[in-house]
Amino acid sequence: MKNKAVPYLKIRRFTTQNTTRPFLILGAFILILFFSACSSDPTEASKNNEMAHLSPVDLVYPQLDTENSRWFLFSSACRPFGMVNLSPDTQLGGAWGSGYRYKTDTIKGFSHIHAWQLSGLSVMPVSISDANRKTVFNDFESKFSHETEKIAPGYHYVELDKHRITAELTSTKRVGFHKYAFPKNSKPGILLNLNTVLGPSKTVDGALEQKDSQTLFGSFTAEPTMRRPKPSKVFFEIVLNTEIEALEKDLETGNYLVVLKNKEAPVLMKAAISYTSNENAKNNLEVELSHWDFDKIVSDSKDEWNALLGRIKVKGGIEKDRRRFYTDLWHALQGRRTISDVNGAYPDNTGDSFRIGQLPLYANGRPKFNHYNSDSFWGAQWTINTLWGLVYPEIMEEFTHSLLQYEKDGGLVPRGPSGGNYTYVMTGASSTPFIVSAIQKGIVKNDLESIYQALKKNHVAGGIMEKSGYEHKTKLGGGFKYYFEKGYVPHPIPEGKFGLHQDGASLTMEYAYQDWTLAQLAKKLGHKEDEEYFLNRSKNYTNNFNTKTGWMQPKDVDGNWKAAYDPYVYENGFNESNGAQSTWFVPHDLNGLATLMGGNEKAIEKLSAQFETAENLGFTSGNSHEKELHPEYRRIPINYGNQPSIQTAFVFHKLGRPDLSQYWSRKVVDSVFSGLSPATGYNGDEDQGLMGSLAVLMKIGLFQMNGGTEENPVYEIGSPIFDEVEIELNLDYYSGESFTIKATNNTKTNWKIQNAQLNGSPIETFAIRHDELVKGGELLLEMSDGGKGEN
């Protein structure tokens, strides 16, 4: 094992004053054990012994897939869903290919916001001399080495070669905490690049003022993007543990240099942000970080991450399996960001003019929930719906309330809000399955009628469903009137191109599934007429199935199939997929789909052939999202690098062949979700924890085909890769303390479940209802060699 592929690395010290490094203290014994394991080749039993001393945080490998990173994907010095997600930036421009990119060896700043369509507050410690006093505004970037870098959830350490500065980063939820050790013979300074390009947008109108000898405050504006149509203003307050000697502004760049008085001890800097006001930024700082104990914040952050990651405990498998598992679970709690202040103030951009909203408060003044910035819930039905709903119900409830707060403010439940506003990212009404799942699992219990009416608005004219792919000024691209009148969305849409993701067949199929999920809530609340109406619409997927070819296909506005149809052409009527992949996007009626194909046996035969072909191609369209359109990668029948076909291994289960689900899910995990490398990890579009969540579910052997949206939702049992999985249940929501899955005789070749027992009673269907699972207990799986999965 090469050093650069592991999360904790040796530290090369510069010749400078000593500075404490918390992970040298917290992890010294762990490091000795880990490197002794790398230098020799101990047995797996010895490794298991050593691994027993490691906490979940110690097992996370943050650099996974960072060669393919995007602005909001990588995080290091952050808390779960933190408003601040502080980390180094090696690439600045564009939402894609920016942020922390492993192969770029130059740091261009440490910025505090890496969020869906938002960025900002980039700072860079610099060593000032007479030679660079005037040039530092344009010549500040510094090379660094991964050999001396240390990254863990809540902490980042780097050495800036150019400035001979060691930098350490950590944070609370809303405050970034920096620790810099400067060389003795230089003047310490901190550059604030408030007017620059960061990730998805430009930051402009940046202003900085000095409040007193150690305090600064200011603001900047994130310019609108194609996806976020309104500007978003960010306020901040900065406090240092040393006095400010001078504050200089560069007229050319509009950026600022903070010159500090010489200080022997490390410079500490706290930077709090707010999307509402400078007063609230100051309050965020005072409430969350009133002291200067850097090591304590690192430790607190580690404890918070361990508390969440530790809700699932796994035993068995090899060392790499466990490291990758907790890395996946860490990703499942990433990306989506808090935008409300500690006092519950939040930015509301849903109206004609900006306003500061106020979340409801408990009697003690604490907000009842946080408000969030989030990419779309497109694909969440197979990922965080299940994982959050089972393991983190309090998080699912918070996000539900946040989505509904947008409806109270702007009139519609969003599918991907940014900066307190709608973005219309992706397609359909993807928040409906998420919220319905929370209700069906008993996580959200109150005001169900008002929630139903809020969701229903998205499924009729004027709602989110009719807007497609970033349409801000029209509602034509979603083709909703055709879906309503003809039962399908034509491709191409006659009115023309208004955004992205206007692929008619996919729109039809997504709308149909989401209509089915809304029908389940209508049924629960006794709205019989609505239930029947939306159930009828949920059958619209049949209008895109061509019985002659056996594939889902796009139709034109006159109802004609496209001549010489090729199901392997990418985005030919299907969003971010091809027809072969998306044919199986009928999670609510797979038996109906099989009937269209000629019966279950023919459907199983067809899907088996697709899996066999996909296996030869590694189950993904290349190793990154940007490669999906490449001619060599796009002609793949199943792609586990993007959301549209990530459910397909469990289609077999619904068609009466759970053994094939067990077989192929194991194959996919081994091929797609097992590596530990900056070069790979999710092989496509990780989005905001969706693929990490999927990997976790497949590895513990639980899945929900329809996203847990029916009454008393079903969990399909897969093939867990671990001998034992213990899930800690939240007693505020569920009656059981824990649910344990034990797989006996579990090996790579023993993927098949021979027998299954839940609390001593046999399970014939290899499925568990939600109310049974959350009572707690034990699922015992007897594993056996199933051969190649033919029968």
Side-chain angles (χ1 to χ4, degrees):
M1 184 181 296
K2 296 181 180 179
N3 281 351
K4 69 178 183 179
V6 298
Y8 302 112
L9 305 175
K10 65 180 181 181
I11 303 301
R12 172 174 56 85
R13 297 178 183 271
F14 288 127
T15 306
T16 183
Q17 64 264 36
N18 290 329
T19 174
T20 60
R21 295 180 174 85
F23 271 64
L24 292 178
I25 299 170
L26 294 173
F29 182 61
I30 291 170
L31 283 169
I32 293 169
L33 290 174
F34 185 69
F35 283 113
S36 65
C38 293
S39 60
S40 60
D41 187 20
T43 65
E44 191 62 37
S46 297
K47 289 184 179 181
N48 288 340
N49 228 8
E50 295 165 7
M51 296 281 286
H53 298 284
L54 302 181
S55 70
V57 164
D58 299 321
L59 297 172
V60 172
Y61 179 57
Q63 287 151 306
L64 184 77
D65 213 14
T66 49
E67 287 186 20
N68 303 309
S69 193
R70 58 196 290 194
W71 183 255
F72 62 57
L73 180 59
F74 173 81
S75 293
S76 51
C78 73
R79 299 295 180 99
F81 308 108
M83 179 185 287
V84 161
N85 44 308
L86 179 61
S87 61
D89 297 323
T90 63
Q91 296 285 356
L92 299 182
W96 292 90
S98 64
Y100 181 90
R101 297 280 285 189
Y102 188 84
K103 280 192 171 181
T104 304
D105 63 358
T106 303
I107 289 177
K108 299 172 174 64
F110 306 124
S111 58
H112 291 70
I113 302 172
H114 296 85
W116 163 242
Q117 293 303 302
L118 287 172
S119 57
L121 193 55
S122 178
V123 304
M124 184 71 172
V126 292
S127 297
I128 305 171
S129 65
D130 292 338
N132 74 355
R133 187 71 176 246
K134 298 299 183 184
T135 62
V136 70
F137 288 98
N138 292 298
D139 184 18
F140 56 86
E141 300 172 0
S142 175
K143 288 189 178 299
F144 74 108
S145 171
H146 292 303
E147 294 298 319
T148 57
E149 183 182 34
K150 284 199 305 179
I151 314 174
Y155 178 78
H156 203 126
Y157 171 96
V158 292
E159 298 179 357
L160 303 176
D161 295 347
K162 179 175 184 175
H163 303 288
R164 301 186 67 77
I165 295 170
T166 61
E168 296 177 76
L169 312 172
T170 190
S171 69
T172 65
K173 187 175 289 292
R174 297 171 179 85
V175 186
F177 202 4
H178 305 241
K179 184 177 185 179
Y180 304 136
F182 291 87
K184 289 184 178 180
N185 298 323
S186 71
K187 173 66 69 174
I190 300 173
L191 187 66
L192 277 78
N193 289 319
L194 304 181
N195 297 283
T196 186
V197 174
L198 291 174
S201 67
K202 291 181 179 179
T203 55
V204 298
D205 301 328
L208 181 66
E209 296 183 51
Q210 185 172 343
K211 183 181 292 186
D212 57 41
S213 63
Q214 294 177 233
T215 308
L216 302 157
F217 69 97
S219 65
F220 57 87
T221 298
E223 283 193 336
T225 69
M226 179 181 74
R227 295 158 174 84
R228 177 175 49 79
K230 293 181 180 180
S232 184
K233 193 165 186 177
V234 180
F235 305 87
F236 61 89
E237 173 114 349
I238 293 176
V239 181
L240 295 133
N241 71 335
T242 186
E243 291 189 359
I244 300 166
E245 183 174 287
L247 175 60
E248 302 175 5
K249 180 178 181 179
D250 178 58
L251 297 179
E252 178 187 352
T253 63
N255 293 321
Y256 296 84
L257 177 65
V258 181
V259 183
L260 305 175
K261 290 186 177 180
N262 289 330
K263 185 177 177 64
E264 287 298 315
V267 169
L268 297 175
M269 180 176 74
K270 301 186 282 193
I273 65 171
S274 167
Y275 291 99
T276 60
S277 69
N278 283 112
E279 181 181 0
N280 280 332
K282 178 184 177 184
N283 187 52
N284 289 341
L285 191 152
E286 291 175 345
V287 171
E288 291 190 354
L289 190 53
S290 60
H291 59 80
W292 292 98
D293 191 339
F294 185 89
D295 290 1
K296 183 180 188 309
I297 298 302
V298 174
S299 179
D300 289 349
S301 185
K302 183 175 182 178
D303 290 345
E304 184 174 352
W305 279 113
N306 271 329
L308 289 179
L309 299 178
R311 289 198 193 175
I312 305 181
K313 298 175 178 64
V314 296
K315 296 179 182 178
I318 62 173
E319 173 191 354
K320 188 175 72 171
D321 292 337
R322 296 188 288 280
R323 290 188 178 278
R324 177 60 195 263
F325 177 82
Y326 284 108
T327 304
D328 290 331
L329 190 56
W330 178 63
H331 271 263
L333 302 171
Q334 291 282 6
R336 303 164 203 271
R337 300 295 171 192
T338 302
I339 61 169
S340 54
D341 298 314
V342 292
N343 60 10
Y346 67 91
D348 175 21
N349 256 317
T350 60
D352 293 333
S353 59
F354 174 81
R355 64 179 282 271
I356 298 175
Q358 176 61 53
L359 297 175
L361 304 174
Y362 289 111
N364 63 5
R366 185 171 62 87
K368 292 185 177 180
F369 57 90
N370 288 313
H371 207 30
Y372 291 100
N373 190 87
S374 175
D375 195 359
S376 173
F377 286 77
W378 192 75
Q381 69 268 9
W382 296 316
T383 55
I384 60 176
N385 269 30
T386 303
L387 181 65
W388 289 5
L390 178 60
V391 186
Y392 307 107
E394 75 281 10
I395 292 175
M396 194 174 205
E397 183 180 20
E398 276 219 347
F399 272 83
T400 297
H401 290 313
S402 178
L403 290 168
L404 293 169
Q405 186 66 47
Y406 281 99
E407 189 273 335
K408 293 174 183 177
D409 294 334
L412 294 175
V413 177
R415 63 176 176 236
S418 180
N421 194 18
Y422 302 103
T423 68
Y424 309 122
V425 55
M426 297 311 300
T427 52
S430 56
S431 296
T432 297
F434 180 83
I435 294 174
V436 171
S437 181
I439 293 171
Q440 298 285 34
K441 292 170 182 173
I443 296 168
V444 174
K445 299 179 181 179
N446 300 322
D447 301 320
L448 299 188
E449 180 61 32
S450 63
I451 293 174
Y452 173 74
Q453 296 300 333
L455 294 176
K456 183 178 174 180
K457 286 193 288 186
N458 274 346
H459 292 247
V460 298
I464 288 289
M465 186 175 273
E466 68 180 4
K467 288 182 174 289
S468 176
Y470 322 123
E471 291 178 272
H472 297 292
K473 298 180 180 179
T474 182
K475 57 185 180 182
L476 301 176
F480 189 73
K481 74 171 186 176
Y482 300 102
Y483 178 78
F484 180 76
E485 295 169 1
K486 294 175 176 289
Y488 70 95
V489 178
H491 185 79
I493 295 172
E495 287 82 0
K497 194 79 171 173
F498 298 99
L500 302 174
H501 307 112
Q502 292 183 205
D503 295 273
S506 270
L507 294 176
T508 302
M509 298 172 77
E510 290 173 32
Y511 298 169
Y513 161 64
Q514 291 157 5
D515 281 342
W516 185 87
T517 65
L518 186 62
Q520 305 313 299
L521 184 54
K523 177 182 178 181
K524 183 182 184 72
L525 299 179
H527 295 298
K528 187 65 177 177
E529 187 175 337
D530 278 6
E531 178 193 353
E532 292 178 358
Y533 172 70
F534 288 113
L535 281 178
N536 285 334
R537 278 188 13 182
S538 76
K539 298 292 185 180
N540 282 345
Y541 76 88
T542 63
N543 295 324
N544 278 109
F545 188 83
N546 188 338
T547 55
K548 291 183 179 180
T549 64
W551 298 107
M552 291 290 176
Q553 291 183 212
K555 283 181 176 177
D556 66 20
V557 70
D558 296 318
N560 299 313
W561 301 113
K562 186 173 181 178
Y565 177 68
D566 183 348
Y568 296 101
V569 174
Y570 214 77
E571 296 187 342
N572 180 25
F574 297 93
N575 291 327
E576 298 192 10
S577 60
N578 59 37
Q581 295 165 17
S582 283
T583 284
W584 303 95
F585 192 105
V586 191
H588 60 294
D589 191 20
L590 285 166
N591 286 313
L593 175 64
T595 298
L596 292 174
M597 293 178 171
N600 282 20
E601 287 189 13
K602 287 189 176 181
I604 291 167
E605 181 181 355
K606 183 183 186 72
L607 187 56
S608 295
Q610 287 186 237
F611 264 97
E612 288 164 7
T613 301
E615 181 181 16
N616 294 329
L617 299 171
F619 298 111
T620 64
S621 297
N623 68 349
S624 68
H625 190 38
E626 61 191 11
K627 292 182 179 179
E628 286 177 354
L629 294 176
H630 192 285
E632 293 183 20
Y633 305 126
R634 65 188 178 192
R635 297 184 65 83
I636 187 170
I638 292 166
N639 176 22
Y640 268 87
N642 205 338
Q643 283 80 38
S645 60
I646 58 176
Q647 86 290 5
T648 44
F650 285 88
V651 168
F652 293 111
H653 199 295
K654 305 302 286 188
L655 299 181
R657 290 295 303 275
D659 59 312
L660 291 178
S661 288
Q662 296 155 22
Y663 176 75
W664 286 113
S665 64
R666 277 280 192 113
K667 286 281 190 179
V668 170
V669 165
D670 188 57
S671 177
V672 183
F673 300 122
S674 292
L676 272 178
S677 165
T680 188
Y682 297 105
N683 301 283
D685 195 4
E686 216 292 76
D687 278 330
Q688 298 191 338
L690 295 188
M691 306 308 273
S693 303
L694 174 69
V696 167
L697 293 171
M698 295 180 81
K699 290 171 184 180
I700 66 175
L702 294 174
F703 196 78
Q704 292 187 309
M705 177 56 69
N706 65 42
T709 54
E710 82 271 49
E711 183 181 2
N712 196 7
V714 170
Y715 296 84
E716 290 87 27
I717 302 173
S719 181
I721 70 169
F722 299 105
D723 298 338
E724 182 174 318
V725 177
E726 182 184 357
I727 301 170
E728 176 187 326
L729 299 174
N730 189 328
L731 290 173
D732 291 335
Y733 295 84
Y734 302 134
S735 59
E737 293 188 2
S738 66
F739 182 78
T740 301
I741 303 169
K742 291 184 179 179
T744 62
N745 304 318
N746 194 16
T747 65
K748 275 191 174 292
T749 57
N750 286 7
W751 53 264
K752 184 178 181 180
I753 302 175
Q754 191 68 35
N755 294 295
Q757 291 185 349
L758 177 62
N759 296 326
S761 299
I763 300 177
E764 302 296 338
T765 60
F766 299 117
I768 309 174
R769 288 285 181 179
H770 179 74
D771 65 352
E772 295 176 309
L773 195 157
V774 298
K775 290 176 185 176
E778 180 180 276
L779 174 64
L780 183 61
L781 305 177
E782 181 186 343
M783 312 301 292
S784 66
D785 186 345
K788 294 185 177 180
E790 290 91 349
N791 291 297

